[in-house]
């Protein structure tokens, strides 16, 4: 390295120049390098208002981010000299020198962007004008105004030429141009034409003919909007550089507009529209045959336009496809299909909602029938026991109310004793007259057993129907949310797709399909189908940056691995970048002498950048408790990943636990849903012990007095929201840990002190430490299933 630096230092200026040229050739390629020099030469020749020539300086400034040599300086200077050597050329040589010096000073300190390049052009021209007038005379107020105007034009033209520089020197194989790029290229080509020598062949102006050809081509390829814009630009450049009548500006614009309007008639129809429009404007303005645009020049331009190969015109058309040739018919059918899809989804949602309501009504009706079944029992009892008794009329006709009351009292006693009644339980007024006491007791026991079994199954069926009703309502809600998401996308995000097409193409990335979605919660999603990069990680190196810049928010690819879509394509799904990262550690201990741990846990990513921490403790311990808690965790994962509402998910799990067994079966559910994009945490506690969050050295206890899942028919879900910060720790645990620590009734405060004093950012280390402390309180024994889950959230650098 030392020898190389010494060699570079001892190189002559000539050697150093040719070494820089060699570097530029390697970087840009020979074709683009020489094109750049040719363009610089002709742009340097352009003079406006017969006095100023700021365009060469502006082009050199626009090229600065791509190379650091003096090639453009030489080419531009030669272009200025070719107009005729005079003292004014010295001013522009000063300006080029100042610009080169500015580039050398700035390049090593900051990245060259449009603003810095434009500022360099403005300062260079202003400084050169001041130095020129110091050398050759005083600087009058008029000279100051001209200098400021010239610098301002250069400042603006740097922004125009920067699009051209990106198109020429940026990624190759561009296929889509934005509106700004089209306008910039048209200005650039117009100035190139004006930079040609003022040649006439048989009285026909080469500049005028090429200018008309430029308007015709853009009008045919781009349509009325592009044709009129290019016509005005070309007319303006002609008026400022070649001294044409200012009426030419409006004439070229209108001719371009009409030629673009009739582009569907082909090149011949578009050219004919241009000729006729010029004739009408000439007659209206001049009232004579003296044309604003000579018909001979128009005729030659039209002839060249017609003989241009169709393949070349089709090639030009593809540059405007994303912005001007997405046909209205295609957009119409896409929009109609989306509207039909949303409408159908809403219809499905209403159907499922009505089905859910119908099931709810069936459940209510069945419960009412169950309350009337008691009277049916007395009918059965009277038929089987009393119908053959000689005192039947005495009991059930004359003394009906007394008999009914005694029977109801006996049935109530049977319910209290679970059907196990004896003769002595018969009420006295009934025992005094009944001659079939033993048979009456036996029949009541049998009837009650059948009734209770029937009632139990009716309740099971009712609960199943209620569960079905909840599920149908949940499906209705999910479909409705999906329809809302699609509807939002339809209405608002097509313009972002167009911008992404252009920006990706501008960076050499061919996108076949782009879909921008705004979800119901306001978060953005971008799906891109593009040409596969064959493992070069283009999605991470370029696409993420481009999409983030266009969307105005940080976006990242959902999958960090390549997802191939076949046919040499890959599919990217970009979501809003998570502002937080998370890692989780778990410590678990099975109750001594048990074959399975009754605690189950989960920590997974769910939809929309959210992260689920879930901990469940089944009733008791062992295999049965493990089945209960694992069922809760599994159902939570599946329902939330699909997109079911949290309240509906918990109610459904509660109903399933109630239905799974005739015996009592319940489990706690301790959850924390973390939004890693927004930085919020929702704590949901159903029967679980206290949880903790460590933030800025302080520890907060989070608890809620709720019964476990599977006890009551309906449970209330309460959510406690917290805002997360960098390096927060979230701690969940089961009652086995809390009961082991139970330090004089202050176990929560004791654990808070442990968490507060433990200085670690490793969640696994904290979970193990809390578990060791809990086991140590009982001599290393686990008196119950014990689980500690600790998560740390942090902001990536």
């Amino acid at each position: 390295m030392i020898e190389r630096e010494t060699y570079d230092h001892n190189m002559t200026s000539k050697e150093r120049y040719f070494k820089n040229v060699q570097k530029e050739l390697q970087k840009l390629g020979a074709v683009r390098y020489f094109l750049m020099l040719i363009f610089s030469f002709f742009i340097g020749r352009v003079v406006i208002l017969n006095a100023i020539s700021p365009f060469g300086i502006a082009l050199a400034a626009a090229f600065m981010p791509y190379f650091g040599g003096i090639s453009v300086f030489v080419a531009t200077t030669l272009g200025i000299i070719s107009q005729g050597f005079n003292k004014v050329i010295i001013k522009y040589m000063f300006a080029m020198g100042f610009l080169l010096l500015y580039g050398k000073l700035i390049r090593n300190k900051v990245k060259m962007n449009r603003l810095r390049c434009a500022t360099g052009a403005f300062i260079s021209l202003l400084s050169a004008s001041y130095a020129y007038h110091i050398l050759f005379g005083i600087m009058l107020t008029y000279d100051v105004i001209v200098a400021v105007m010239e610098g301002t034009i250069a400042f603006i033209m740097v922004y125009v030429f920067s699009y051209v520089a990106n198109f020429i020197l940026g990624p190759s194989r561009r296929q889509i141009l934005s509106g700004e790029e089209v306008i910039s290229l048209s200005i650039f080509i117009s100035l190139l034409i004006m930079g040609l020598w003022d040649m006439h062949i048989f009285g026909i102006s080469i500049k005028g003919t090429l200018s008309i050809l430029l308007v015709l081509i853009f009008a045919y390829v781009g349509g009325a909007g592009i044709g009129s814009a290019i016509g005005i630009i070309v007319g303006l450049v002609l008026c400022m550089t070649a001294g044409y009548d200012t009426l030419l500006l409006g004439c070229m614009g209108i001719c371009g507009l009409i030629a673009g309007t009739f582009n569907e008639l082909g090149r011949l129809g578009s050219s004919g529209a241009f000729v006729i429009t010029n004739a009408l404007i000439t007659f209206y303005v001049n009232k004579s045959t003296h044309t604003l645009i000579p018909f001979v020049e128009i005729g030659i331009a039209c002839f060249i336009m017609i003989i241009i190969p169709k393949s070349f015109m089709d090639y030009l058309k593809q540059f405007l496809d994303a912005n001007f040739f997405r046909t209205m018919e295609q957009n119409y059918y896409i929009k109609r299909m989306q509207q039909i899809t949303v409408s159908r989804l809403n219809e499905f949602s209403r159907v499922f909602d009505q089905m859910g309501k119908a099931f709810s009504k069936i459940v209510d009706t069945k419960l009412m029938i169950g309350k009337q079944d008691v009277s049916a029992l007395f009918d059965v009892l009277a038929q089987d026991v009393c119908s053959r008794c000689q005192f039947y009329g005495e009991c059930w006709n004359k003394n009906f109310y007394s008999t009914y009351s005694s029977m109801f009292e006996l049935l109530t006693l049977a319910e209290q004793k679970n059907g196990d009644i004896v003769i002595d339980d018969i009420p006295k007024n009934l025992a005094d007259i009944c001659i079939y006491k033993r048979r009456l007791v036996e029949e009541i026991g049998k009837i009650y057993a059948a009734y209770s079994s029937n009632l139990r199954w009716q309740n099971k069926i009712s609960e199943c129907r209620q569960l079905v009703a909840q599920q149908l309502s949940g499906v209705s809600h999910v479909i409705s949310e999906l329809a809302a998401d699609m509807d939002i996308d339809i209405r608002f995000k097509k313009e972002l797709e167009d911008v992404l097409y252009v920006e990706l193409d501008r960076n050499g990335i061919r996108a076949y399909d782009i879909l921008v979605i705004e979800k119901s919660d306001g978060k953005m999603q971008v799906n891109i189908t593009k040409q596969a990069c064959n493992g070069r990680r283009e999605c991470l190196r370029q696409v993420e940056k481009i999409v983030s810049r266009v969307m105005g928010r940080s976006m990242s690819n959902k999958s960090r691995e390549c997802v191939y879509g076949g046919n040499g394509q890959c599919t990217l799904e970009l979501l809003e970048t998570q502002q937080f990262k998370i890692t989780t550690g778990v410590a678990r201990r099975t109750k001594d002498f048990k074959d399975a741990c009754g605690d189950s846990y989960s920590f997974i990513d769910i939809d929309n950048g959210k992260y689920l921490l879930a901990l469940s403790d089944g009733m008791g311990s062992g295999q049965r408790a493990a089945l209960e808690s694992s069922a809760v965790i599994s159902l939570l994962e599946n329902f939330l990943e699909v997109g079911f509402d949290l309240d509906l998910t918990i109610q459904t799990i509660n109903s399933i636990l109630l239905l799974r067994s005739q015996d009592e079966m319940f489990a706690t559910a301790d959850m924390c849903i973390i939004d890693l994009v927004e930085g919020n945490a929702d704590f949901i506690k159903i029967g679980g012990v206290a949880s903790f969050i460590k933030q800025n050295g302080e520890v907060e206890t989070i608890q809620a007095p709720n019964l476990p899942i599977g006890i009551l028919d309906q449970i209330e879900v309460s959510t406690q929201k917290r805002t997360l910060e960098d390096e927060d720790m979230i701690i969940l645990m089961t009652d086995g840990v809390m009961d082991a620590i139970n330090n004089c009734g202050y176990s929560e405060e004791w654990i808070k002190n442990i968490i507060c004093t433990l200085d670690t950012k490793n969640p696994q280390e904290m979970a193990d430490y809390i578990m060791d402390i809990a086991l140590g309180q009982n001599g290393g024994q686990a008196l119950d299933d014990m689980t500690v889950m600790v998560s740390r959230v942090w902001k990536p650098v």
Side-chain angles (χ1 to χ4, degrees), residues 212-228:
I212 296 168
L213 179 62
L214 178 65
V215 177
L216 281 170
I217 290 174
F218 272 97
Y220 172 71
V221 172
I226 290 294
S228 61

Side-chain angles (χ1 to χ4, degrees), residues 426-633:
I426 300 176
K428 187 175 184 306
N429 58 339
L430 182 61
D432 291 341
I433 61 174
C434 183
I435 59 176
Y436 297 109
K437 297 182 183 68
R438 184 177 297 281
R439 187 178 176 188
L440 177 64
V441 170
E442 292 175 354
E443 288 297 326
I444 285 180
K446 293 178 181 178
I447 291 173
Y448 176 76
Y451 165 73
S452 61
S453 176
N454 182 53
L455 185 61
R456 184 167 57 252
W457 283 110
Q458 285 182 2
N459 287 334
K460 289 287 186 182
I461 293 172
S462 176
E463 290 169 0
C464 289
R465 287 171 175 165
Q466 186 64 45
L467 178 60
V468 171
Q470 291 176 356
Q471 293 300 301
L472 291 172
S473 298
V475 171
S476 171
H477 176 74
V478 171
I479 294 175
S480 178
E481 289 294 323
L482 177 60
D485 288 344
M486 292 187 66
D487 193 38
I488 289 174
D489 173 49
I490 292 169
R491 290 181 295 181
F492 298 121
K493 299 306 161 194
K494 296 300 276 184
E495 69 279 4
L496 289 176
E497 296 173 8
D498 292 339
V499 175
L500 282 173
Y501 272 111
V502 173
E503 288 298 321
L504 290 172
D505 186 74
R506 184 177 290 165
N507 287 270
I509 300 171
R510 178 72 185 276
Y512 299 105
D513 186 56
I514 298 176
L515 178 66
V516 179
I517 302 171
E518 183 179 16
K519 298 186 179 181
S520 57
D521 57 1
K523 293 178 181 176
M524 305 298 296
Q525 176 179 328
V526 179
N527 295 339
I528 299 176
T529 301
K530 57 178 283 293
Q531 188 173 8
C533 64
N534 299 319
R536 296 195 304 271
R537 313 294 286 175
E538 195 173 64
C539 54
L540 304 181
R541 292 187 296 105
Q542 289 183 277
V543 176
E544 286 185 349
K545 296 178 182 178
I546 295 168
V547 174
S548 298
R549 185 173 67 252
V550 172
M551 303 299 294
R553 59 186 77 188
S554 180
M555 306 288 291
S556 57
N557 193 19
K558 181 178 180 181
S559 174
R560 310 313 285 178
E561 302 297 331
C562 291
V563 181
Y564 291 100
N567 299 321
Q569 300 177 6
C570 66
T571 302
L572 309 179
E573 182 179 348
L574 292 100
L575 307 173
E576 290 192 37
T577 303
Q578 297 175 354
Q579 302 300 314
F580 288 88
K581 298 294 183 182
I582 187 167
T583 183
T584 301
V586 177
R588 187 163 71 152
R589 178 72 178 267
T590 303
K591 181 179 179 180
D592 290 347
F593 311 112
K594 290 293 182 178
D595 56 346
C597 181
D599 299 341
S600 297
Y601 65 88
S602 175
F603 47 93
I604 60 169
D605 290 301
I606 53 179
D607 194 27
N608 295 335
K610 294 183 178 179
Y611 189 86
L612 171 67
L613 298 174
L615 188 58
S616 179
D617 182 6
M619 182 185 68
S621 58
Q623 192 66 38
R624 173 66 181 272
L627 290 174
E628 296 168 5
S629 62
S630 63
V632 171
I633 294 298

Side-chain angles (χ1 to χ4, degrees), residues 14 70 155 450 519 694 734 782:
K14 184 177 180 181
I70 62 172
F155 184 93
K519 298 186 179 181
K694 184 177 182 181
T734 58

Side-chain angles (χ1 to χ4, degrees), residues 228-510:
S228 61
I230 304 305
I232 292 172
I233 290 170
V234 171
L236 178 64
V237 172
L238 283 170
C239 292
M240 295 182 68
T241 59
Y244 281 78
D245 192 329
T246 53
L247 291 174
L248 181 67
L249 191 154
C251 183
M252 291 288 276
I254 296 173
C255 289
L257 172 68
I258 302 302
T261 303
F262 287 91
N263 65 345
E264 293 184 0
L265 298 179
R267 282 179 279 180
L268 186 61
S270 183
S271 301
F274 192 100
V275 174
I276 295 171
T277 304
N278 178 57
L280 292 174
I281 293 174
T282 297
F283 180 77
Y284 177 78
V285 173
N286 292 338
K287 305 296 182 182
S288 68
T289 58
H290 179 70
T291 57
L292 294 173
I293 307 175
F295 279 111
V296 176
E297 295 178 5
I298 296 177
I300 295 173
C302 291
F303 176 74
I304 297 173
M305 165 94 166
I306 292 171
I307 65 173
I308 291 176
K310 183 178 182 298
S311 59
F312 179 74
M313 301 302 289
D314 292 338
Y315 174 75
L316 292 179
K317 280 185 178 182
Q318 74 176 357
F319 287 102
L320 305 175
D321 276 348
N323 297 285
F324 305 105
F325 284 90
R326 280 193 177 183
T327 62
M328 293 299 295
E329 181 180 5
Q330 182 183 12
N331 283 337
Y332 171 77
Y333 283 115
I334 291 174
K335 187 174 182 179
R336 287 292 299 154
M337 286 302 298
Q338 288 176 327
Q339 289 175 344
I340 292 171
T341 302
V342 171
S343 176
R344 292 291 291 163
L345 287 174
N346 284 324
E347 290 176 4
F348 286 135
S349 177
R350 285 192 293 272
V351 169
F352 279 104
D353 185 55
Q354 291 299 321
M355 290 173 63
K357 291 178 179 178
F359 265 91
S360 296
K361 291 178 181 178
I362 292 173
V363 171
D364 294 339
T365 303
K366 191 60 187 176
L367 289 174
M368 292 175 62
I369 295 174
K371 295 177 181 178
Q372 299 173 357
D373 283 347
V374 174
S375 60
L377 291 178
F378 292 144
D379 293 339
V380 173
L381 188 63
Q383 181 67 27
D384 292 347
V385 179
C386 303
S387 60
R388 299 176 184 179
C389 179
Q390 56 186 341
F391 298 108
Y392 177 84
E394 186 73 19
C395 294
W396 289 102
N397 290 331
K398 292 183 178 180
N399 298 313
F400 174 79
Y401 291 107
S402 175
T403 304
Y404 187 92
S405 177
S406 298
M407 289 291 188
F408 192 85
E409 183 178 348
L410 188 60
L411 186 62
T412 302
L413 190 61
E415 183 179 8
Q416 294 175 354
K417 292 187 173 184
N418 199 22
D420 188 18
I421 58 175
V422 294
I423 295 176
D424 294 339
D425 293 328
I426 300 176
K428 187 175 184 306
N429 58 339
L430 182 61
D432 291 341
I433 61 174
C434 183
I435 59 176
Y436 297 109
K437 297 182 183 68
R438 184 177 297 281
R439 187 178 176 188
L440 177 64
V441 170
E442 292 175 354
E443 288 297 326
I444 285 180
K446 293 178 181 178
I447 291 173
Y448 176 76
Y451 165 73
S452 61
S453 176
N454 182 53
L455 185 61
R456 184 167 57 252
W457 283 110
Q458 285 182 2
N459 287 334
K460 289 287 186 182
I461 293 172
S462 176
E463 290 169 0
C464 289
R465 287 171 175 165
Q466 186 64 45
L467 178 60
V468 171
Q470 291 176 356
Q471 293 300 301
L472 291 172
S473 298
V475 171
S476 171
H477 176 74
V478 171
I479 294 175
S480 178
E481 289 294 323
L482 177 60
D485 288 344
M486 292 187 66
D487 193 38
I488 289 174
D489 173 49
I490 292 169
R491 290 181 295 181
F492 298 121
K493 299 306 161 194
K494 296 300 276 184
E495 69 279 4
L496 289 176
E497 296 173 8
D498 292 339
V499 175
L500 282 173
Y501 272 111
V502 173
E503 288 298 321
L504 290 172
D505 186 74
R506 184 177 290 165
N507 287 270
I509 300 171
R510 178 72 185 276

